[in-house]
Amino acid sequence: MSTTTTDAVPALASVEDTIEQFREHGYLADRKLATTVFLQTRLEKPVLLEGPAGVGKTQLAQSLAEVTGRRLIRLQCYEGQDESKALYEWDYGKQLLYTQILREKIGQIVSDAADLTEAVDQISAHDSIFFSERFLAARPLLEAITSEEPVVLLIDEVDRADEALEAVLLELLSEFQISIPEIGTIEATHLPLVVLTSNNTRDLSAALKRRCLHLFLDYPSPERELDILRSKETGLQDALAARLVEIVRGLRELELRKAPSISETIDWARTLAVLGVDELDATLLSDTLSVVVKYDRDLRRAGEALPKLVDPNAVVPEGHDHGHGHDHTHDHPHPHGSDHGDDDVDGREARKAKDAPGRHDTDYYGAPGGLGTSRKVTPGQGDRSFAGRGARKRPL
Ligand SMILES: Nc1ncnc2c1ncn2[C@@H]1O[C@H](COP(=O)(O)OP(=O)(O)OP(=O)(O)O)[C@@H](O)[C@H]1O
Ligand SMILES: [Mg+2]
């Protein structure tokens, strides 16, 4: 319907320049990530970022908007979301208001109708007026397509959406267009830069992956994590920040339900800076451990491992070597009483098994609501996703 304009992104001249520009906006990208982002701006393909929580997936899209000077439009995905909340819906209130105001006019149209059938026929000839762009309420995806100025579109946590919605995304991601049965196909005015993120709570379809530049974003290298800490000006002395990064890395090696992410390292550094520490000791770290570890069982495991992480020569009581978390798997009842929790950890083994088939069957980082939940599409889901169309009341 409208003509698509290709908007080169002059802000990013090369991979090096991408790293530099993102750094200036407070985001420290490694080469692999910067290359993906640079390619995205040249190949005009969406980027799909997969990885554990808190590694900077959402922040990347926000920083991309800042770097390119574009507005950020965000679609936060959730279970049960249907396309009327993601694409568009008919503005029923406005349709109703117009029919009220135009009551007299509508009366004139049907005034010479012999019976009800003829009256309905005459009105239906004017259907298209009420199902035109004037009465369309754009939701994030349509908004991104029709925006007057080029935007960054963030489709956040796409793995939380039902597969029916994922299917709806396919047209947008490959053609940058949206088909509306009553109107036709609306093409992007400007091509948006699209970033999708996923926490791997379920496998995404091959069709979706094929349309995107795919990148697995893992925890950063110690150098980059320290760099990020420095850039956040946490107030913690540099030498202590470096030690803290090592300790957090040690915690990530444990079999925890939720491994600490970059944001938790930042929070811990800020906490320790506020306490004015000039030395990292196990007691102090243990007292502040709840800043980085959020589950009761994880707290115990991390607490027991801390002395060794702080000082590898520390004497740890018999049976408390946490290099093998499974030894303790059945020692502690699961905080949520679920059978699945111990298999659903975000530790070393879980990350090693990333590419094993079926790894996404359970929630990747163990959100309490998602434990052991198989996210298969039920026959009703597709119906629900499209139910809105049938359920939408027509004004006439
Ligand atoms: N490369 C980075 N440079 C600067 N800050 C970063 C970087 N990576 C992560 N952060 C910091 O970590 C915080 C968490 O990142 P973000 O919210 O983007 O994670 P996420 O991967 O989207 O997590 P979730 O899956 O939980 O949504 C950000 O607010 C940011 O402060
Ligand atoms: Mg996020």
Side-chain angles (χ1 to χ4, degrees):
M1 289 197 120
S2 47
T3 330
T4 304
T5 315
T6 303
D7 301 279
V9 187
L12 304 177
S14 63
V15 174
E16 285 71 25
D17 187 45
T18 304
I19 294 176
E20 198 41 49
Q21 299 248 14
F22 271 79
R23 177 179 280 275
E24 278 170 22
H25 285 86
Y27 191 92
L28 308 186
D30 63 9
R31 224 187 142 71
K32 214 158 83 180
L33 179 57
T35 304
T36 307
V37 172
F38 174 66
L39 287 177
Q40 161 178 43
T41 63
R42 296 304 157 111
L43 301 176
E44 290 160 354
K45 273 190 143 206
V47 162
L48 169 61
L49 296 174
E50 290 196 87
V55 291
K57 301 184 296 295
T58 303
Q59 184 64 51
L60 177 93
Q62 289 166 340
S63 300
L64 181 63
E66 284 174 24
V67 166
T68 55
R70 292 180 174 209
R71 181 161 71 97
L72 179 76
I73 295 180
R74 179 173 183 164
L75 175 69
Q76 179 66 49
C77 299
Y78 54 87
E79 203 175 340
Q81 185 176 33
D82 70 39
E83 102 279 13
S84 69
K85 292 285 170 282
L87 290 170
Y88 66 88
E89 54 192 331
W90 293 107
D91 192 339
Y92 176 57
K94 194 170 168 186
Q95 286 170 327
L96 202 62
L97 182 69
Y98 273 60
T99 53
Q100 292 292 322
I101 295 170
L102 299 172
R103 205 169 24 207
E104 254 180 51
K105 197 84 198 146
I106 293 167
Q108 285 169 17
I109 291 172
V110 295
S111 60
D112 61 343
D115 55 22
L116 197 59
T117 314
E118 210 178 309
V120 170
D121 283 347
Q122 285 174 355
I123 289 178
S124 65
H126 300 274
D127 252 9
S128 58
I129 297 173
F130 288 95
F131 289 93
S132 60
E133 286 186 50
R134 188 191 298 276
F135 294 101
L136 208 53
R139 298 299 170 228
L141 301 181
L142 184 62
E143 196 188 340
I145 287 285
T146 52
S147 169
E148 286 300 322
E149 77 283 354
V151 299
V152 171
L153 171 63
L154 166 62
I155 303 174
D156 214 12
E157 306 190 353
V158 66
D159 53 326
R160 298 200 175 275
D162 298 332
E163 287 176 30
L165 182 67
E166 192 183 318
V168 168
L169 287 177
L170 297 180
E171 181 186 12
L172 172 79
L173 296 179
S174 54
E175 315 292 335
F176 292 104
Q177 66 181 33
I178 290 173
S179 296
I180 301 175
E182 296 86 345
I183 294 180
T185 302
I186 299 185
E187 288 175 7
T189 314
H190 303 274
L191 292 187
L193 289 169
V194 186
V195 177
L196 298 103
T197 78
S198 163
N199 284 101
N200 295 348
T201 56
R202 69 169 172 83
D203 259 331
L204 298 173
S205 71
L208 184 105
K209 289 191 173 184
R210 201 172 52 242
R211 284 162 173 77
C212 301
L213 295 170
H214 180 258
L215 186 74
F216 191 88
L217 208 57
D218 211 340
Y219 298 112
S221 66
E223 297 77 28
R224 195 158 70 89
E225 189 156 10
L226 183 56
D227 246 12
I228 294 172
L229 266 192
R230 285 191 191 117
S231 75
K232 299 289 173 191
E233 293 174 7
T234 59
L236 191 68
Q237 298 163 34
D238 213 45
L240 297 188
R243 281 292 299 128
L244 193 67
V245 165
E246 284 307 325
I247 291 165
V248 172
R249 287 175 69 79
L251 291 178
R252 284 181 195 144
E253 294 295 307
L254 303 176
E255 293 273 339
L256 300 181
R257 280 190 66 203
K258 166 68 183 78
S261 67
I262 300 174
S263 39
E264 270 109 21
T265 316
I266 297 167
D267 286 346
W268 213 3
R270 288 202 173 119
T271 305
L272 296 170
V274 166
L275 294 175
V277 303
D278 44 26
E279 194 185 339
L280 297 187
D281 67 67
T283 315
L284 183 77
L285 292 176
S286 176
D287 288 347
T288 52
L289 199 55
S290 56
V291 174
V292 278
V293 180
K294 309 286 166 73
Y295 290 94
D296 189 35
R297 186 195 65 176
D298 287 357
L299 269 173
R300 263 176 277 144
R301 282 195 178 166
E304 287 165 6
L306 259 181
K308 257 208 178 294
L309 291 173
V310 175
D311 173 11
N313 300 319
V315 181
V316 177
E318 194 78 5
H320 283 260
D321 180 359
H322 280 261
H324 307 280
H326 279 305
D327 294 348
H328 293 263
T329 296
H330 304 289
D331 293 356
H332 311 296
H334 191 274
H336 295 276
S338 161
D339 291 331
H340 303 280
D342 287 337
D343 297 331
D344 188 24
V345 292
D346 193 17
R348 180 181 39 191
E349 290 307 317
R351 272 180 280 129
K352 252 192 214 158
K354 259 169 214 150
D355 294 318
R359 69 187 163 99
H360 303 307
D361 283 357
T362 50
D363 198 297
Y364 184 78
Y365 62 100
L371 282 176
T373 315
S374 178
R375 310 276 305 272
K376 302 240 162 37
V377 176
T378 58
Q381 275 180 349
D383 293 352
R384 183 180 63 227
S385 184
F386 292 95
R389 188 161 296 150
R392 278 173 215 134
K393 297 186 188 74
R394 301 199 168 210
L396 290 173

PDB file of all heavy atoms in Angstrom, residues 51-68:
ATOM      1  N   GLY A  51      19.641 -16.419  24.988  1.00  0.00           N
ATOM      2  CA  GLY A  51      20.619 -16.560  26.063  1.00  0.00           C
ATOM      3  C   GLY A  51      19.976 -16.429  27.414  1.00  0.00           C
ATOM      4  O   GLY A  51      18.803 -16.072  27.527  1.00  0.00           O
ATOM      5  N   PRO A  52      20.753 -16.710  28.461  1.00  0.00           N
ATOM      6  CA  PRO A  52      20.202 -16.658  29.813  1.00  0.00           C
ATOM      7  C   PRO A  52      19.770 -15.247  30.200  1.00  0.00           C
ATOM      8  O   PRO A  52      20.074 -14.283  29.501  1.00  0.00           O
ATOM      9  CB  PRO A  52      21.361 -17.148  30.698  1.00  0.00           C
ATOM     10  CG  PRO A  52      22.583 -17.050  29.865  1.00  0.00           C
ATOM     11  CD  PRO A  52      22.159 -17.097  28.439  1.00  0.00           C
ATOM     12  N   ALA A  53      19.064 -15.156  31.313  1.00  0.00           N
ATOM     13  CA  ALA A  53      18.562 -13.859  31.782  1.00  0.00           C
ATOM     14  C   ALA A  53      19.711 -12.931  32.159  1.00  0.00           C
ATOM     15  O   ALA A  53      20.751 -13.383  32.646  1.00  0.00           O
ATOM     16  CB  ALA A  53      17.661 -14.086  32.989  1.00  0.00           C
ATOM     17  N   GLY A  54      19.518 -11.673  31.916  1.00  0.00           N
ATOM     18  CA  GLY A  54      20.426 -10.648  32.424  1.00  0.00           C
ATOM     19  C   GLY A  54      21.761 -10.536  31.720  1.00  0.00           C
ATOM     20  O   GLY A  54      22.735 -10.045  32.294  1.00  0.00           O
ATOM     21  N   VAL A  55      21.840 -10.977  30.462  1.00  0.00           N
ATOM     22  CA  VAL A  55      23.127 -10.858  29.758  1.00  0.00           C
ATOM     23  C   VAL A  55      23.137  -9.680  28.780  1.00  0.00           C
ATOM     24  O   VAL A  55      24.062  -9.523  27.991  1.00  0.00           O
ATOM     25  CB  VAL A  55      23.525 -12.162  29.010  1.00  0.00           C
ATOM     26  CG1 VAL A  55      23.856 -13.260  30.006  1.00  0.00           C
ATOM     27  CG2 VAL A  55      22.441 -12.606  28.048  1.00  0.00           C
ATOM     28  N   GLY A  56      22.084  -8.876  28.822  1.00  0.00           N
ATOM     29  CA  GLY A  56      22.085  -7.650  28.012  1.00  0.00           C
ATOM     30  C   GLY A  56      21.333  -7.746  26.702  1.00  0.00           C
ATOM     31  O   GLY A  56      21.596  -6.970  25.786  1.00  0.00           O
ATOM     32  N   LYS A  57      20.361  -8.654  26.610  1.00  0.00           N
ATOM     33  CA  LYS A  57      19.620  -8.813  25.352  1.00  0.00           C
ATOM     34  C   LYS A  57      18.694  -7.612  25.121  1.00  0.00           C
ATOM     35  O   LYS A  57      18.725  -6.991  24.066  1.00  0.00           O
ATOM     36  CB  LYS A  57      18.808 -10.120  25.384  1.00  0.00           C
ATOM     37  CG  LYS A  57      19.667 -11.365  25.591  1.00  0.00           C
ATOM     38  CD  LYS A  57      18.861 -12.644  25.512  1.00  0.00           C
ATOM     39  CE  LYS A  57      17.814 -12.786  26.592  1.00  0.00           C
ATOM     40  NZ  LYS A  57      18.373 -12.893  27.957  1.00  0.00           N
ATOM     41  N   THR A  58      17.881  -7.322  26.131  1.00  0.00           N
ATOM     42  CA  THR A  58      16.947  -6.199  25.996  1.00  0.00           C
ATOM     43  C   THR A  58      17.708  -4.888  25.880  1.00  0.00           C
ATOM     44  O   THR A  58      17.387  -4.024  25.066  1.00  0.00           O
ATOM     45  CB  THR A  58      16.007  -6.162  27.227  1.00  0.00           C
ATOM     46  OG1 THR A  58      15.348  -7.426  27.320  1.00  0.00           O
ATOM     47  CG2 THR A  58      14.982  -5.055  27.107  1.00  0.00           C
ATOM     48  N   GLN A  59      18.741  -4.770  26.686  1.00  0.00           N
ATOM     49  CA  GLN A  59      19.538  -3.543  26.691  1.00  0.00           C
ATOM     50  C   GLN A  59      20.147  -3.276  25.319  1.00  0.00           C
ATOM     51  O   GLN A  59      20.283  -2.126  24.905  1.00  0.00           O
ATOM     52  CB  GLN A  59      20.635  -3.652  27.766  1.00  0.00           C
ATOM     53  CG  GLN A  59      21.470  -2.405  27.950  1.00  0.00           C
ATOM     54  CD  GLN A  59      20.655  -1.213  28.448  1.00  0.00           C
ATOM     55  OE1 GLN A  59      19.938  -1.331  29.424  1.00  0.00           O
ATOM     56  NE2 GLN A  59      20.758  -0.087  27.763  1.00  0.00           N
ATOM     57  N   LEU A  60      20.485  -4.343  24.603  1.00  0.00           N
ATOM     58  CA  LEU A  60      21.080  -4.157  23.276  1.00  0.00           C
ATOM     59  C   LEU A  60      20.114  -3.401  22.364  1.00  0.00           C
ATOM     60  O   LEU A  60      20.506  -2.458  21.666  1.00  0.00           O
ATOM     61  CB  LEU A  60      21.447  -5.495  22.629  1.00  0.00           C
ATOM     62  CG  LEU A  60      21.998  -5.265  21.223  1.00  0.00           C
ATOM     63  CD1 LEU A  60      23.512  -5.158  21.235  1.00  0.00           C
ATOM     64  CD2 LEU A  60      21.525  -6.263  20.232  1.00  0.00           C
ATOM     65  N   ALA A  61      18.847  -3.785  22.394  1.00  0.00           N
ATOM     66  CA  ALA A  61      17.849  -3.112  21.541  1.00  0.00           C
ATOM     67  C   ALA A  61      17.692  -1.657  21.976  1.00  0.00           C
ATOM     68  O   ALA A  61      17.593  -0.759  21.135  1.00  0.00           O
ATOM     69  CB  ALA A  61      16.518  -3.844  21.635  1.00  0.00           C
ATOM     70  N   GLN A  62      17.700  -1.438  23.289  1.00  0.00           N
ATOM     71  CA  GLN A  62      17.560  -0.061  23.771  1.00  0.00           C
ATOM     72  C   GLN A  62      18.755   0.782  23.341  1.00  0.00           C
ATOM     73  O   GLN A  62      18.603   1.929  22.910  1.00  0.00           O
ATOM     74  CB  GLN A  62      17.399  -0.058  25.305  1.00  0.00           C
ATOM     75  CG  GLN A  62      16.048  -0.609  25.714  1.00  0.00           C
ATOM     76  CD  GLN A  62      15.923  -0.960  27.187  1.00  0.00           C
ATOM     77  OE1 GLN A  62      16.936  -1.142  27.868  1.00  0.00           O
ATOM     78  NE2 GLN A  62      14.709  -1.086  27.680  1.00  0.00           N
ATOM     79  N   SER A  63      19.945   0.184  23.432  1.00  0.00           N
ATOM     80  CA  SER A  63      21.145   0.919  23.032  1.00  0.00           C
ATOM     81  C   SER A  63      21.174   1.136  21.522  1.00  0.00           C
ATOM     82  O   SER A  63      21.623   2.179  21.054  1.00  0.00           O
ATOM     83  CB  SER A  63      22.406   0.175  23.482  1.00  0.00           C
ATOM     84  OG  SER A  63      22.392   0.038  24.880  1.00  0.00           O
ATOM     85  N   LEU A  64      20.672   0.152  20.760  1.00  0.00           N
ATOM     86  CA  LEU A  64      20.623   0.302  19.301  1.00  0.00           C
ATOM     87  C   LEU A  64      19.751   1.505  18.926  1.00  0.00           C
ATOM     88  O   LEU A  64      20.079   2.265  18.013  1.00  0.00           O
ATOM     89  CB  LEU A  64      20.082  -0.987  18.664  1.00  0.00           C
ATOM     90  CG  LEU A  64      19.981  -1.014  17.143  1.00  0.00           C
ATOM     91  CD1 LEU A  64      21.364  -0.887  16.494  1.00  0.00           C
ATOM     92  CD2 LEU A  64      19.302  -2.299  16.652  1.00  0.00           C
ATOM     93  N   ALA A  65      18.651   1.660  19.651  1.00  0.00           N
ATOM     94  CA  ALA A  65      17.768   2.808  19.403  1.00  0.00           C
ATOM     95  C   ALA A  65      18.518   4.108  19.699  1.00  0.00           C
ATOM     96  O   ALA A  65      18.444   5.066  18.934  1.00  0.00           O
ATOM     97  CB  ALA A  65      16.511   2.696  20.252  1.00  0.00           C
ATOM     98  N   GLU A  66      19.259   4.114  20.794  1.00  0.00           N
ATOM     99  CA  GLU A  66      20.010   5.332  21.153  1.00  0.00           C
ATOM    100  C   GLU A  66      21.079   5.634  20.113  1.00  0.00           C
ATOM    101  O   GLU A  66      21.233   6.766  19.667  1.00  0.00           O
ATOM    102  CB  GLU A  66      20.674   5.163  22.524  1.00  0.00           C
ATOM    103  CG  GLU A  66      19.700   5.282  23.676  1.00  0.00           C
ATOM    104  CD  GLU A  66      20.374   4.970  25.011  1.00  0.00           C
ATOM    105  OE1 GLU A  66      21.608   5.118  25.110  1.00  0.00           O
ATOM    106  OE2 GLU A  66      19.656   4.563  25.934  1.00  0.00           O
ATOM    107  N   VAL A  67      21.833   4.593  19.739  1.00  0.00           N
ATOM    108  CA  VAL A  67      22.947   4.790  18.807  1.00  0.00           C
ATOM    109  C   VAL A  67      22.442   5.297  17.455  1.00  0.00           C
ATOM    110  O   VAL A  67      23.039   6.178  16.844  1.00  0.00           O
ATOM    111  CB  VAL A  67      23.728   3.452  18.622  1.00  0.00           C
ATOM    112  CG1 VAL A  67      24.653   3.509  17.424  1.00  0.00           C
ATOM    113  CG2 VAL A  67      24.514   3.129  19.890  1.00  0.00           C
ATOM    114  N   THR A  68      21.320   4.742  16.996  1.00  0.00           N
ATOM    115  CA  THR A  68      20.822   5.120  15.671  1.00  0.00           C
ATOM    116  C   THR A  68      19.865   6.312  15.730  1.00  0.00           C
ATOM    117  O   THR A  68      19.385   6.774  14.699  1.00  0.00           O
ATOM    118  CB  THR A  68      20.087   3.934  14.998  1.00  0.00           C
ATOM    119  OG1 THR A  68      19.064   3.479  15.893  1.00  0.00           O
ATOM    120  CG2 THR A  68      21.033   2.791  14.704  1.00  0.00           C
TER     121      THR A  68
END
